[in-house]
Amino acid sequence: MVETVSKFNSYLRDFRGLTPATVEQYTKVARWYEAYCKVNEASRETRGAVLGFIDSRVSSTTYKRWAINILKSYFVFLGIAWPLSRKEVPKPSPPKQPRLTMEEAAMMLKKLRHPRDRAILRVLMVTGMRSGELCGLKRSDFKPPHLYLELEKTGGKAVRLLDKETVSTVQQYLKVRKDKIPYLFLSSTGIKLYPQLLGYMFKKYCRIGGVEEKSPHSSRRGVASMLYDEGLGLKEIQDFVGWKRIETAARYIKLRPEAVAKRGLEVNPLVRE
C-alpha cells in the first residue's frame, strides 16, 4: 500500500506536473482509501469499497465530488476500471443566489453611521452596479444627479440617475475627505477599494444591520428583482443593470409571491371591471 501510494505521488508530481499542494491532497486521499480498504477488508476496485469510503470520510456533496475525482485519477494510475456509474456520482448542489431586499437595505442604512458606508450601500441599491464597477468609480464620474460608470463585462459606458438622498449621502462623504485621490470611494486606510475588500465591508454592513451576511452582488440581484416587481420588462432590466444577454436577467430575478399575486389581479380583466 505504502509503495503504491508513493508511486502515485511521483506520477502526479513528475508525469502530470501538478503543484505540490495538489499532489499532497491527491496522495492523502489515496492513502486514506487504501487504509479504508485494508481495515474493512475490501477490494479496492469494487463499487462497494468506493461508496463505503466516500460515505465514511466525506459528508457534503461538494467534497464527495472532490474525493471521487481524486479517486478516479488514482484508478487511472492503477489501471483499474472505474466502478461507479454517472448516476451514482452526487450532483452538485445548485449555487445559492441570495438577494438583498430593499427592506433589508433600509435596516442596514438605519444602523450604518459612517458617511462612506451609507453612500456605498445607497449607490449599490440604487444602481445595481457590480463590485468592480463601484470600486473603479472616480470623483469625476459623480456629476449630480448623474453617475457615470464603465460596465465591467461589456466594456461600455453607462449613466445612472441618483435620487436626492443618495446624492446628498455621497456629498456628505466627500466633504469629510481631505485627500486628493481621484477615486470616489476609499478604504479606511485611504487606498482604492478592490472587490474583495468591498466584500468584507459589505458583510460587516449586514452584521451591523442585523441582516444575514451576503455579498455585494446580492444587491445587484435585489435591484433586478425589485425592478421586475415594479413592472419593468426583462429587456429594460438588462439595459439598466448592464448584462450582455437577456437570459442573465431572467436568471437573476427572484419573484416575490406577494408581488406575483398582486400583478395577477392587476392584469385580470374580470377584476378590473
Side-chain angles (χ1 to χ4, degrees):
M1 178 189 76
V2 176
E3 183 179 355
T4 303
V5 173
S6 179
K7 288 181 178 179
F8 181 54
N9 182 289
S10 300
Y11 160 78
L12 296 170
R13 185 184 64 250
D14 301 330
F15 181 74
R16 292 190 56 182
L18 300 182
T19 64
T22 303
V23 170
E24 181 182 356
Q25 291 295 323
Y26 275 50
T27 304
K28 185 184 296 183
V29 172
R31 189 183 303 116
W32 288 345
Y33 181 64
E34 291 289 359
Y36 172 85
C37 291
K38 183 177 180 179
V39 170
N40 292 276
E41 298 181 350
S43 180
R44 68 162 75 130
E45 66 272 10
T46 62
R47 170 179 168 274
V50 174
L51 291 176
F53 168 73
I54 295 298
D55 290 337
S56 67
R57 296 291 310 200
V58 189
S59 57
S60 73
T61 299
T62 300
Y63 284 104
K64 281 184 179 180
R65 289 177 61 85
W66 169 78
I68 284 173
N69 286 331
I70 292 177
L71 283 181
K72 278 185 177 181
S73 296
Y74 188 49
F75 273 54
V76 169
F77 166 74
L78 295 172
I80 300 174
W82 181 245
L84 300 187
S85 65
R86 285 188 177 183
K87 292 183 179 180
E88 292 175 301
V89 177
K91 293 182 179 180
S93 303
K96 293 183 179 180
Q97 296 186 338
R99 66 165 179 164
L100 185 72
T101 66
M102 294 299 160
E103 294 79 9
E104 290 173 327
M107 291 170 57
M108 293 160 67
L109 286 169
K110 285 182 180 180
K111 297 292 183 67
L112 292 175
R113 293 290 175 260
H114 197 289
R116 179 204 61 187
D117 300 334
R118 293 176 55 80
I120 287 175
L121 182 56
R122 285 201 68 93
V123 168
L124 286 173
M125 294 305 295
V126 170
T127 65
M129 67 174 62
R130 300 177 178 89
S131 298
E133 293 167 351
L134 183 133
C135 293
L137 289 174
K138 295 184 178 179
R139 292 190 193 214
S140 56
D141 296 326
F142 178 58
K143 298 177 180 178
H146 298 100
L147 184 63
Y148 296 85
L149 67 146
E150 183 173 341
L151 298 175
E152 193 174 56
K153 294 291 181 69
T154 63
K157 302 288 184 179
V159 60
R160 298 287 181 265
L161 183 64
L162 303 178
D163 63 289
K164 291 183 179 180
E165 181 66 24
T166 301
V167 168
S168 175
T169 305
V170 175
Q171 289 174 334
Q172 289 174 23
Y173 165 57
L174 292 177
K175 282 182 181 179
V176 302
R177 289 261 300 269
K178 305 300 181 182
D179 61 87
K180 295 184 179 180
I181 299 174
Y183 291 101
L184 185 60
F185 296 111
L186 301 178
S187 72
S188 56
T189 57
I191 63 173
K192 176 182 177 293
L193 284 182
Y194 54 91
Q196 185 178 9
L197 176 57
L198 180 61
Y200 293 140
M201 292 165 57
F202 200 85
K203 288 182 179 180
K204 180 181 177 182
Y205 300 167
C206 291
R207 291 195 298 270
I208 292 174
V211 174
E212 179 186 355
E213 286 191 11
K214 298 175 182 178
S215 70
H217 212 67
S218 65
S219 64
R220 188 169 171 82
R221 297 190 185 98
V223 169
S225 299
M226 178 274 296
L227 294 175
Y228 194 78
D229 287 344
E230 294 300 320
L232 267 68
L234 290 180
K235 178 59 179 173
E236 294 173 297
I237 297 173
Q238 176 194 4
D239 292 341
F240 180 86
V241 180
W243 286 308
K244 282 185 178 181
R245 299 181 299 171
I246 198 169
E247 293 84 359
T248 308
R251 191 175 72 247
Y252 267 61
I253 290 168
K254 183 177 181 181
L255 298 177
R256 292 185 301 172
E258 61 270 24
V260 175
K262 180 180 178 182
R263 290 180 64 185
L265 287 177
E266 290 174 349
V267 300
N268 190 318
L270 184 63
V271 175
R272 291 204 303 265
E273 292 179 354

